Each structure stands twice: as C-alpha cells, then as structure tokens.
C-alpha cells in the first residue's frame, strides 16, 4: 500500500539531510566530525540547528508506517529477509566498498595516519566509515523487534486500538517522545538515540499507519504549523549558537515539543498538497535510498578537496560543496546501480 505523499516526504527529507550535512561539515558550534579549520558562517549553523531535532524522527516515523504496509503483505520471515538485504548488507559489507572513504578521510584529518600501522588503515577506515548508515543499521534492529511484537499481538488488537486516537491524543504523543528522548542514548556516538527513534518508529507503525489518523492530522495542519512556529522561536532563542546535538538541547521539553509539532505539520501539509506523483517524484522516490547511502562519502570528499587545495571565501565553500554534491551523488547512484555485485553490496539491490 504505497502512499505518494509518504514517498514525497521521504525523498525530500533525504535531500534535506544532504543539505544539513553541508552545514555540518563547516559547523562552528563545536560538533565533531566536520572539516578541521574550515571557515564558518553562523547563519548556516542556525539553519542546521532548526532541522536537526526532527528530520530523523520524521524518517523513523515514516519507516514505521511503511513497515506496517509491508507486513500486511508479507510474513515476518519474508519481511526480515528483505530488510537484511536492503539494510544490513549496505551498512556492513558496503562499508568495505565505498564507505571506507569516509573513515579514511576522518582518520587523515584527525592525524590518525601518523600512528595507525599501514596494513590496518583500510580495515579501520571501513569499520569507522559508518557515517549516516547508523540510520539503516538502527532501522534493521527495529524491524527485527517489530516482528517479535507482531507475534505477541497476533490479532492486531493494539494496532486497532491505536487507530481510535483522536487529535488530543495525537498531540499528547509528544509525552512519550519526550520521555524516550531521555533514555537509551549512546555516549560519544550521539547519533544512536535508540529511545526516541524506536518510539517514533512504533508510533508510525501503530498510530500513523491508520488512514483516519492521517486525515485528522491533515485537518489540523494549520494549527500544528502555528504551534511548530511558536516552539521554533523559543527553541532558536534558547539554543542559538550552541551544540544542538548535546543532551541539554535534545532532551529538553521545548526541543521535543518543537520536533513533534513540526512532524505533525509536515505530515498534515504533505497529505493535503503532496499526495500525487509525477515522473520526477517517482524518480526521486526510487533513488532516495541510494542518495542517502552515497551522499556522505561523496560530500566529505568534496569538502576535503575544497578546503585542502583551494582558498575560496566561506560562502563559496558552502555553495560549491552543495552544488557539486547534488550533482555527483545521483551520478554515483546511477553508476553503482548498474554494476552487478557492487550494487548489491552498496545499495542492497539485486537488480
């Protein structure tokens, strides 16, 4: 059961992730992983801070909805086998094909090549080159747990109960989102926020996969946008020019209210205005997974070359990195998807 607006939100968010990572590469708020010594423009840090709290929560919620539609046509075993090829293979074996580039450049920029023995550089680069692939690793884990939950609730009673949620209850789901933001957060590797992402995935599966819930959110899209705008102002005022990936920011009440109202507003407006397909949107939907997988090593290599071999003004660094990455990433996808074996290892696609 494919819904055009879900696909459209997904590909648009994937491209937003690429744009965010351009800002992240040159960030000036102390977030590790960017280009050392790169000249920074504070306005772009503010833009990155405004999308960071909600865009991965949105993707996990959409993934939960899609998992529900997928499991309605497959057995649990079929579902896991498909997810293993699509998610687990690219995020494990694929590291040794292309994502070692991410690990190698990070090691090089951090000075690690000075003390890592030469024979170990490639395997360490591959293992440390996960980058944004944490998302699909996490999604595979959540999919396995979901199959177990589905077996425990074989008659779908919980799913049917969640379909009765009215708008007040949908808004109050901000509470479990807030509570989940406090738990199961990995130290150092702050992108692994298992608590909030798993709860978002379950909310997508049990609640937002119902047409009735989606319609209620659509009807309330304008109030949700207004609430999101108010929360955005408070959030921006409170965390301006700070590390927006820190626990203090991500676990606060205002951050989680802001992210939840933003997610509701996006779903409501997308269902109203983006529930249609064109040749362009079909291509963007079909290529978005590949763009997500490939964009980071492509972008990191571009930023490294720009900052190492050229001395452009800061604004040129941002714009060049963005434009070149937006061109080269789809080209890399089109090339890799045509190469047997490599396409399976990197994209999890047999055909």
């Amino acid at each position: 059961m494919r819904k055009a607006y879900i696909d459209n939100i997904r590909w648009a968010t994937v491209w937003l992730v690429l744009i965010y990572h351009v800002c992240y590469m040159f960030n000036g708020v102390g977030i590790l992983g960017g280009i050392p010594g790169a000249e920074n423009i504070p306005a772009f840090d503010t833009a990155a801070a405004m999308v960071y709290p909600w865009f991965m929560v949105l993707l996990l919620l959409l993934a939960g909805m899609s998992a529900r539609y997928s499991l309605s046509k497959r057995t649990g075993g079929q579902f896991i086998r498909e997810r293993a090829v699509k998610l687990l293979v690219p995020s494990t074996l694929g590291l040794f094909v292309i994502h070692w580039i991410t690990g190698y450049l990070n090691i090089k920029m951090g000075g690690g090549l000075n003390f890592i023995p030469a024979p170990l550089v490639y395997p360490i680069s591959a293992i440390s080159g996960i980058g944004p692939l944490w998302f699909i690793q996490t999604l595979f884990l959540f999919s396995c747990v979901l199959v177990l939950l589905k077996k425990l609730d074989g008659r779908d009673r919980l799913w049917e109960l969640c379909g009765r949620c009215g708008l007040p209850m949908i808004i109050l789901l901000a509470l479990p989102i807030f509570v989940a933001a406090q738990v199961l957060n990995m130290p150092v590797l702050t992108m692994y926020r298992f608590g909030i992402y798993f709860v978002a995935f379950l909310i997508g599966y049990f609640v937002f996969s119902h047409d009735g819930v989606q319609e209620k959110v659509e009807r309330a899209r304008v109030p949700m946008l207004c609430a999101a705008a108010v929360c955005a102002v408070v959030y921006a005022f409170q965390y301006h020019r700070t590390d927006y990936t820190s626990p203090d920011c991500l676990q606060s009440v205002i951050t989680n209210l802001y992210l939840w109202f933003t997610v509701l507003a996006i779903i409501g407006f997308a269902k109203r205005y983006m529930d249609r397909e064109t040749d362009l949107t079909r291509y963007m939907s079909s290529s978005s997974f590949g763009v997500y997988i490939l964009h980071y090593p492509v972008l990191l290599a571009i930023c490294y070359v720009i900052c190492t071999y050229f001395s452009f003004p800061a604004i040129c660094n941002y714009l060049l990195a963005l434009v070149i990455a937006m061109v080269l990433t789809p080209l890399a996808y089109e090339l890799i998807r045509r190469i047997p074996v490599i396409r399976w290892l990197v994209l999890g696609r047999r055909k």
Side-chain angles (χ1 to χ4, degrees):
M1 184 194 303
R2 299 201 69 87
K3 293 181 181 290
Y5 86 91
I6 294 177
D7 289 337
N8 289 334
I9 296 175
R10 185 183 290 111
W11 69 254
T13 307
V14 165
W15 281 96
L16 181 62
V17 170
L18 186 153
I19 296 170
Y20 161 79
H21 277 132
V22 173
C23 300
Y24 161 80
M25 292 290 178
F26 303 113
N27 84 85
V29 293
I31 303 172
L32 299 177
I35 306 296
E39 193 174 351
N40 169 257
I41 298 178
F44 290 105
D45 290 335
T46 301
M50 296 308 295
V51 302
Y52 187 80
W54 55 263
F55 63 174
M56 299 312 295
V57 171
L58 176 60
L59 284 179
L60 265 298
L61 189 144
L62 296 177
M65 296 170 67
S66 299
R68 174 68 199 187
Y69 303 145
S70 180
L71 274 170
S72 67
K73 299 180 290 186
R74 295 166 177 81
T75 65
Q78 291 171 332
F79 178 75
I80 292 301
R81 284 193 295 273
E82 288 182 2
R83 288 298 187 272
V85 173
K86 183 176 181 179
L87 304 176
L88 198 58
V89 170
S91 62
T92 53
L93 300 180
L95 298 177
F96 293 87
V97 180
I98 191 168
H99 299 285
W100 64 269
I101 297 172
T102 298
Y104 176 80
L105 289 176
N106 283 329
I107 291 171
K108 182 177 177 63
M109 289 185 292
L113 295 181
N114 295 327
F115 57 85
I116 297 177
L120 297 180
V121 171
Y122 170 68
I124 291 176
S125 297
I127 294 171
S128 63
I130 294 173
L133 297 189
W134 66 264
F135 169 70
I136 60 175
Q137 290 178 339
T138 302
L139 187 54
F140 178 74
L141 174 63
F142 293 168
S143 298
C144 293
V145 176
L146 181 63
V147 170
L148 295 177
L149 293 177
K150 183 171 174 56
K151 287 186 177 181
L152 294 175
D153 186 26
R155 297 186 178 180
D156 269 344
R157 291 176 178 173
L158 179 57
W159 180 78
E160 292 175 358
L161 178 64
C162 290
R164 303 173 188 172
C165 284
L167 185 61
M169 185 59 66
I170 293 170
I171 294 173
L172 286 175
L173 288 172
L175 179 59
I177 287 287
F178 168 72
V179 173
Q182 316 304 312
V183 300
L184 299 179
N185 299 309
M186 290 282 287
V188 183
L189 300 174
T190 55
M191 72 288 288
Y192 287 101
R193 303 177 65 210
F194 293 109
I196 189 171
Y197 291 146
F198 185 51
V199 168
F201 181 75
L202 292 182
I203 289 174
Y205 180 89
F206 285 105
V207 181
F208 279 78
S209 60
H210 292 273
D211 290 343
V213 170
Q214 297 169 34
E215 291 166 1
K216 291 168 187 172
V217 174
E218 179 188 7
R219 289 194 294 269
R221 63 189 181 277
V222 174
M224 295 302 102
L225 179 62
C226 294
V230 172
C231 292
V233 171
V234 179
Y235 165 80
F237 178 80
Q238 186 165 347
Y239 295 106
H240 177 64
R241 298 297 296 160
T242 64
D243 180 355
Y244 51 81
T245 68
S246 68
D248 286 344
C249 175
L250 295 178
Q251 295 175 3
S252 74
V253 173
I254 187 59
T255 300
N256 286 278
L257 283 175
Y258 165 56
L259 80 83
W260 187 240
F261 282 121
T262 301
V263 167
L264 293 180
I266 289 172
I267 291 175
F269 274 90
K271 188 175 188 310
R272 178 66 179 85
Y273 298 109
M274 297 174 64
D275 198 18
R276 55 182 61 89
E277 288 184 315
T278 65
D279 289 341
L280 174 62
T281 62
R282 277 189 287 271
Y283 174 76
M284 298 296 277
S285 296
S286 67
S287 64
S288 64
F289 184 72
V291 168
Y292 184 88
I293 286 179
L294 295 171
H295 82 276
Y296 197 79
V298 172
L299 177 60
L300 182 58
I302 293 168
C303 293
Y304 174 78
V305 170
I306 288 175
C307 293
T308 303
Y309 299 103
F310 301 94
S311 298
F312 298 123
I315 186 63
C316 293
N317 291 342
Y318 281 88
L319 294 178
L320 281 173
L322 177 61
V323 172
I324 297 172
M326 293 181 74
V327 172
L328 290 188
T329 302
L331 289 178
Y333 163 74
E334 290 296 335
L335 174 63
I336 289 175
R337 79 184 185 92
R338 288 170 165 79
I339 305 175
V341 181
I342 298 298
R343 121 182 107 225
W344 182 76
L345 292 170
V346 176
L347 301 175
R349 293 174 59 169
R350 300 185 185 277
K351 298 181 180 180

